[in-house]
Amino acid sequence: MGISPRDRFSALFDGGIFTDVKVPAPVADPLQFRDQKRYPDRMKSAQRSTGENEAMLVGEGEMGRTKVVAAAQDFSFMGGSMGMYVGNAIIAAAERAVKIKAPLILFSAAGGARMQEGILSLMQMPRTTVAIQMLREAGLPYIVVLTHPTTGGVTASYAMLGDVQIAEPNALICFAGPRVIEQTIREKLPEGFQRAEYLLDHGMLDRVTPRTKMRDELITIIRMLLKQPPAVRGDLPAPGPEQSQSKTISDESQTTSPAPEKQSGPAKAETKA
C-alpha cells in the first residue's frame, strides 16, 4: 500500500512535526517535450492529484530527539520519476544535513529517470552521487529505505549508496524489471526474484523492516551511528496537585522540627572530698 511523503513524515518525526526544506525550482520543460500530452500539462495534472509541486519532498525535524533531514519520493507523482527537481531536492537535503550536522534518511520510490527531461534527467545520477559524497566527507550517516517500487536510474545511483540499506517487505528493487529480463533471456526467473527478501538473502540489503517498526528501527540505527546513548522511550508524568502539596508539607515539617540534642557520653558522678 502506497503512502504519501507527508503522511510518511507525519509518522516518522517526533509528534509528526517537521519543516519543509526549500528546493530550487529547475527550468520548466527544457526540451519542449510532447507525447500524447504536453509535459507542462502532465505536471499540472500530477500536481492537482497529489497536492505536491513535484515528486520529492524534503523535511527536517527530530526523531527520538535527534535532528534528522529526510527526503521521500512520491510514486503517485508521475511514477516518482527522477528529473532535475529530484536532483535539486537531494542536493538541498544533503546541504541542509551538512549545515545542521544531521543524518539524512531517504525513502526511494521511482520508476526511474523522467523521459520528458531526456539526458537532463540522467545527469541527476552523478549530481546526486556527489551530494552523497558531501555527507561522507562530513562524517554524517546516509540511510536509504527502499520502498515499492525502486527501479531504473534511481537504483543505479543514490538509492543504493546508503551506509545502511533498509527495504520494506516485498518491495520490488531492480534496474530492469523481471518482465524485461525474462523476455531478454527467455527463461523463467526464480520466485521472488528482485523482491526485498530475495535481495536480503543475497547480500544486497541490510534489513527488511515493516512500516510499523520503521521509526523505532531508524532511531536505533541513527543513534548507534552517531554514538549516542539509547533513545528515551518516554517521560515520567508531571506530579499531580495532591503529590506536590504533600511533598511541600513534608519538606516544611522537616525544617521546623527541632534537631535532637547530641550526647557526648555518660555524665560523670560528683565525688565529695
Side-chain angles (χ1 to χ4, degrees):
M1 181 178 177
I3 181 173
S4 72
R6 289 197 183 274
D7 289 341
R8 189 181 290 278
F9 285 178
S10 295
L12 185 74
F13 288 108
D14 293 349
I17 300 170
F18 66 94
T19 304
D20 288 14
V21 174
K22 187 176 180 181
V23 177
V27 177
D29 196 13
L31 304 181
Q32 302 295 304
F33 192 93
R34 183 187 182 101
D35 44 61
Q36 288 90 352
K37 287 184 179 180
R38 294 171 59 247
Y39 181 31
D41 293 338
R42 288 194 182 276
M43 286 289 293
K44 289 176 184 176
S45 176
Q47 288 166 349
R48 283 195 301 268
S49 63
T50 63
E52 299 292 347
N53 291 326
E54 253 286 359
M56 179 168 276
L57 178 68
V58 182
E60 67 172 288
E62 290 189 346
M63 283 179 56
R65 303 183 182 182
T66 301
K67 288 186 297 183
V68 167
V69 176
Q73 285 177 275
D74 189 353
F75 190 76
S76 61
F77 193 108
M78 296 185 67
S81 51
M82 175 184 63
M84 292 186 292
Y85 184 93
V86 170
N88 288 352
I90 294 173
I91 293 170
E95 289 177 341
R96 183 60 183 168
V98 171
K99 184 175 181 179
I100 66 174
K101 295 180 174 56
L104 173 60
I105 302 173
L106 186 138
F107 296 84
S108 64
R114 185 171 295 177
M115 68 175 189
Q116 289 87 352
E117 296 182 14
I119 190 65
L120 297 174
S121 66
L122 295 176
M123 288 172 63
Q124 307 315 306
M125 295 169 66
R127 289 185 76 217
T128 54
T129 302
V130 172
I132 303 310
Q133 186 60 30
M134 291 168 48
L135 295 167
R136 298 264 160 79
E137 292 175 358
L140 296 169
Y142 172 54
I143 300 170
V144 178
V145 180
L146 300 121
T147 71
H148 178 77
T150 299
T151 64
V154 172
T155 308
S157 56
Y158 57 86
M160 298 303 289
L161 294 175
D163 298 310
V164 180
Q165 297 284 139
I166 307 173
E168 291 187 340
N170 203 40
L172 177 66
I173 303 162
C174 60
F175 182 74
R179 184 179 60 184
V180 174
I181 296 174
E182 284 185 338
Q183 290 176 350
T184 303
I185 66 175
R186 299 183 180 182
E187 292 183 13
K188 186 70 177 174
L189 296 173
E191 186 178 352
F193 183 70
Q194 295 180 318
R195 295 288 174 170
E197 292 76 9
Y198 184 93
L199 297 182
L200 178 65
D201 291 340
H202 289 78
M204 292 290 289
L205 299 175
D206 298 303
R207 307 281 285 177
V208 173
T209 304
R211 195 176 293 168
T212 54
K213 298 181 180 178
M214 188 66 71
R215 173 180 151 85
D216 289 341
E217 182 97 323
L218 289 171
I219 290 173
T220 300
I221 291 171
I222 287 169
R223 297 185 75 87
M224 287 176 62
L225 293 177
L226 294 176
K227 298 181 180 178
Q228 295 178 349
V232 176
R233 292 295 179 180
D235 293 319
L236 292 174
E242 294 181 359
Q243 291 176 319
S244 219
Q245 186 177 3
S246 62
K247 185 176 184 301
T248 305
I249 294 172
S250 175
D251 291 344
E252 289 177 355
S253 64
Q254 288 180 4
T255 54
T256 55
S257 58
E261 295 182 358
K262 293 183 180 178
Q263 294 183 354
S264 57
K268 293 181 180 179
E270 292 182 2
T271 57
K272 292 183 179 180

